[in-house]
């Protein structure tokens, strides 16, 4: 690829590491797709989050995932165009640093590291709940949620240590199984004509253009968390200029179609007139999807789903673990995090120390939650996930701004005509969704608007971002060499 003079200044030397760097040519388009889709945890969203969208958004809930796929598809067009002109192995951190500057970049790097940790570690609470329910249904034995969480932490660490290619193969199997069970339930529901016949009211204008739809639109976007992390795997990907964009587009399309179809099937299972009230009445039990499966496919399907949702959560945790490790690696290479965290396993060419550190953090938080007797869902999961969701939405909005700024500043790119309009539209959309998510935080926390816990969860990511910008300003004054490495050392 030929770079302009201005672009060449943004392209760092080839990756250099005292440990030789990560494993090259380890994964292709298919592997990246499995990791990106697994991070979105399709079955987990359908069983755990979609009923909330139905309870608040009503029959139009399936359409929020189509709207999110369109918005994020526009975002991906600009983001992937940027990856062809600016080389970075640091995900949002690197691209924001190279488009909006090092000060904003370091704030973004710390926010990204925190956000993905929050998303990943909070899921251990949900996994513990679901694993206990599955084991109890089969054996009658009930164990504490944190015991399952600790076992899962160990398994995630092992697969992350073994290599991105090993993890991708595991994710391929798990994702195939959770997709298959949704397809099976859908076949039974459609074959029996649903509760009162098949209806497409979920996609009607009156269902979409409603106040309830806007209230839950943020849930649709949050269901795609992790789809954008393909750029982090460029160092390990085969032909990254082709494989990463392809995987990103395929992931957005698949996730949007899967969610919209699966939630529409739940609407058919209960009927358009009854589904909202039913979902609202079963939020505490969390069994809306299970009841739909049991009514139409039978108890065997419910039992199988209870196992596969555990593997779905595990797949998401493994995918996020890999993402976090690569952010840690980038920050360590640049001297922001301790140098030891950037060490590469000589055997498997993986960021082994970063993975070990992330495992210790997850273990400490799970044990802390257990000792404090926090509820694994309403407290541990929600309190760790919410700052993560807000943080990723903030990063997506900043990346959109960065894309617009970069391509406005450098005019001769041979860009296709739709890239800039898509980037502008996506930036506006991401800012609007971030606002909607913040103003409707009570939907996630279950606490009343204005509650101090809501406020704390909402300001955590912005405050960390601000702290990162202050640190960058300090480094610019006291350690110019370290400042110059921000977002640029690969």
């Amino acid at each position: 690829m030929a770079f302009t003079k201005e672009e060449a200044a943004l392209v760092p030397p080839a990756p250099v590491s005292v440990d030789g760097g990560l494993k090259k040519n380890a994964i292709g388009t298919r592997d990246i797709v499995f990791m990106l889709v697994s991070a979105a945890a399709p079955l987990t969203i359908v069983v755990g989050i979609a009923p909330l969208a139905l309870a608040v958004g009503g029959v139009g809930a399936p359409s929020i995932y189509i709207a999110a796929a369109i918005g994020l598809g526009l975002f991906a067009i600009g983001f992937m165009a940027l990856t062809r002109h600016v080389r970075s192995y640091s995900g949002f951190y690197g691209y924001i640093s190279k488009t909006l500057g090092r000060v904003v970049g370091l704030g973004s790097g710390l926010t990204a590291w925190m956000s993905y940790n929050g998303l990943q570690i909070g899921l251990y609470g949900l996994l513990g709940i679901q694993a206990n329910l599955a084991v109890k249904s089969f054996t009658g034995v009930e164990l504490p949620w944190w015991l399952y969480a600790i076992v899962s932490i160990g398994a995630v660490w092992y697969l992350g240590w073994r290599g991105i290619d090993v993890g991708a193969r595991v994710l391929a199997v798990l994702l195939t199984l959770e997709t298959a069970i949704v397809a099976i339930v859908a076949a039974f529901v459609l074959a029996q004509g649903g509760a009162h016949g098949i209806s497409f009211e979920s996609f009607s204008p009156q269902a979409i253009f409603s106040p309830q739809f806007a209230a839950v639109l943020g849930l649709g976007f949050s269901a795609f968390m992790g789809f954008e992390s393909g750029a982090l795997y460029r160092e390990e990907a085969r032909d990254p200029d082709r494989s990463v964009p392809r995987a990103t587009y395929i992931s957005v399309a698949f996730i949007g179609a899967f969610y919209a179809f699966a939630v529409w099937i739940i609407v058919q299972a209960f009927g358009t007139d009854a589904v909202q009230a039913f979902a609202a009445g079963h939020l505490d039990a969390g069994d809306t999807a299970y009841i739909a499966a049991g009514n139409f496919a039978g108890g065997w399907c419910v039992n199988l789903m209870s196992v596969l949702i555990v593997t779905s959560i595990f797949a998401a945790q493994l995918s996020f673990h890999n993402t976090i490790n690569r952010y840690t690696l980038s920050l360590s290479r640049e001297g922001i995090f301790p140098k030891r965290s950037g060490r590469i396993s000589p055997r498997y060419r993986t960021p082994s120390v970063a993975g070990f550190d992330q495992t210790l953090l997850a273990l400490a938080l799970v044990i802390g939650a257990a000792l404090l007797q926090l509820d694994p869902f309403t407290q541990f999961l929600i309190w760790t996930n919410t700052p993560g969701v807000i943080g990723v939405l903030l990063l997506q909005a900043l990346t959109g701004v960065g894309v617009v700024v970069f391509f406005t500043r450098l005019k001769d790119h041979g860009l296709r005509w739709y890239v800039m309009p898509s980037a502008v539209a996506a930036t506006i959309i991401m800012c609007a969704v971030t606002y909607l998510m913040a103003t409707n935080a009570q939907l996630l926390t279950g606490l009343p608007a204005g509650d101090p816990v809501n406020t704390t969860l909402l300001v955590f990511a912005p405050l960390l971002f601000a702290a990162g910008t202050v640190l960058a300003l300090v480094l610019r004054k006291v350690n110019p060499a370290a400042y110059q490495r921000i977002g640029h050392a690969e």
Side-chain angles (χ1 to χ4, degrees), residues 347-390:
R347 182 176 182 183
Y348 296 116
R349 316 310 309 166
T350 56
S352 53
V353 177
F356 182 73
D357 291 346
Q358 200 276 328
T359 298
L360 288 181
L361 177 62
L363 188 63
L365 291 180
V366 166
I367 292 174
L371 293 174
L372 293 172
Q373 298 184 333
L374 298 182
D375 182 90
F377 186 87
T378 60
Q379 294 176 315
F380 184 65
L381 171 69
I382 298 300
W383 291 358
T384 53
N385 266 204
T386 300
V389 170
I390 297 298

Side-chain angles (χ1 to χ4, degrees), residues 71-138:
L72 292 171
L74 292 173
F75 170 82
I77 289 172
F79 185 35
M80 290 299 104
L82 182 66
T83 66
R84 292 188 178 97
H85 290 81
V86 179
R87 192 178 74 187
S88 175
Y89 301 142
S90 305
F92 284 150
Y93 169 43
Y95 292 110
I96 292 173
S97 296
K98 293 177 180 180
T99 56
L100 300 181
R102 293 172 173 83
V103 174
V104 177
L106 185 53
S108 300
L110 296 182
T111 302
W113 182 85
M114 178 281 297
S115 297
Y116 288 107
N117 266 296
L119 292 171
Q120 195 256 8
I121 295 173
L123 284 173
Y124 284 112
L126 183 59
L127 182 139
I129 294 172
Q130 295 296 337
N132 179 56
L133 290 175
V135 171
K136 185 179 178 181
S137 67
F138 286 107

Side-chain angles (χ1 to χ4, degrees), residues 262-311:
V263 179
W264 177 73
I265 287 295
I266 295 177
V267 173
Q268 306 315 302
F270 295 103
T272 56
D273 294 332
V275 66
Q276 184 171 12
F278 187 92
H282 286 256
L283 283 180
D284 290 339
D287 58 359
T288 298
Y290 289 127
I291 292 174
N295 288 345
F296 287 88
W300 67 270
C301 189
V302 175
N303 291 334
L304 185 56
M305 282 182 68
S306 70
V307 174
L308 291 179
I309 191 174
V310 177
T311 62

Side-chain angles (χ1 to χ4, degrees), residues 412-428:
D412 184 19
H413 305 290
L415 282 181
R416 296 190 181 275
W417 65 267
Y418 52 79
V419 172
M420 278 296 283
S422 297
V424 172
T427 301
I428 295 172

Side-chain angles (χ1 to χ4, degrees), residues 213-233:
F213 185 87
V216 296
L217 186 59
L219 290 177
F221 279 79
S222 67
F224 287 72
M225 292 287 151
F227 91 94
E228 72 291 329
S229 59
L232 282 167
Y233 303 118

Side-chain angles (χ1 to χ4, degrees), residues 37-219:
V37 176
S38 294
L43 187 59
T44 303
I45 295 294
V46 171
V47 174
I49 305 300
L52 175 59
L54 286 165
V56 178
V59 69
S63 294
I64 67 174
Y65 301 104
I66 296 177
I70 293 172
L72 292 171
L74 292 173
F75 170 82
I77 289 172
F79 185 35
M80 290 299 104
L82 182 66
T83 66
R84 292 188 178 97
H85 290 81
V86 179
R87 192 178 74 187
S88 175
Y89 301 142
S90 305
F92 284 150
Y93 169 43
Y95 292 110
I96 292 173
S97 296
K98 293 177 180 180
T99 56
L100 300 181
R102 293 172 173 83
V103 174
V104 177
L106 185 53
S108 300
L110 296 182
T111 302
W113 182 85
M114 178 281 297
S115 297
Y116 288 107
N117 266 296
L119 292 171
Q120 195 256 8
I121 295 173
L123 284 173
Y124 284 112
L126 183 59
L127 182 139
I129 294 172
Q130 295 296 337
N132 179 56
L133 290 175
V135 171
K136 185 179 178 181
S137 67
F138 286 107
T139 67
V141 175
E142 186 168 5
L143 297 172
W145 70 271
W146 50 264
L147 183 61
Y148 295 103
I150 290 174
V151 172
S152 178
I153 289 171
V156 166
W157 165 78
Y158 176 75
L159 290 173
W161 172 61
R162 281 297 310 273
I164 197 74
D165 48 342
V166 175
R169 289 195 291 271
V170 173
L171 294 177
V173 174
L174 299 183
L175 182 61
T176 300
L177 291 174
E178 61 181 290
T179 302
I181 193 64
V182 172
I184 290 170
V185 174
F188 276 96
V189 172
L190 294 176
Q192 297 174 51
H196 307 293
I198 303 302
S199 167
F200 294 95
E201 185 181 338
S202 294
F203 310 107
S204 66
Q206 57 266 31
I208 295 173
F209 298 103
S210 65
Q212 299 97 319
F213 185 87
V216 296
L217 186 59
L219 290 177

Side-chain angles (χ1 to χ4, degrees), residues 407-456:
F407 287 121
T408 299
R409 186 175 68 238
L410 300 176
K411 300 184 181 299
D412 184 19
H413 305 290
L415 282 181
R416 296 190 181 275
W417 65 267
Y418 52 79
V419 172
M420 278 296 283
S422 297
V424 172
T427 301
I428 295 172
I429 291 170
M430 296 315 303
C431 290
V433 171
T434 303
Y435 172 78
L436 286 173
M437 198 71 179
T439 55
N440 292 282
Q442 64 272 15
L443 295 180
L444 286 177
T445 64
L447 299 170
D451 187 281
V453 172
N454 285 347
T455 303
T456 301

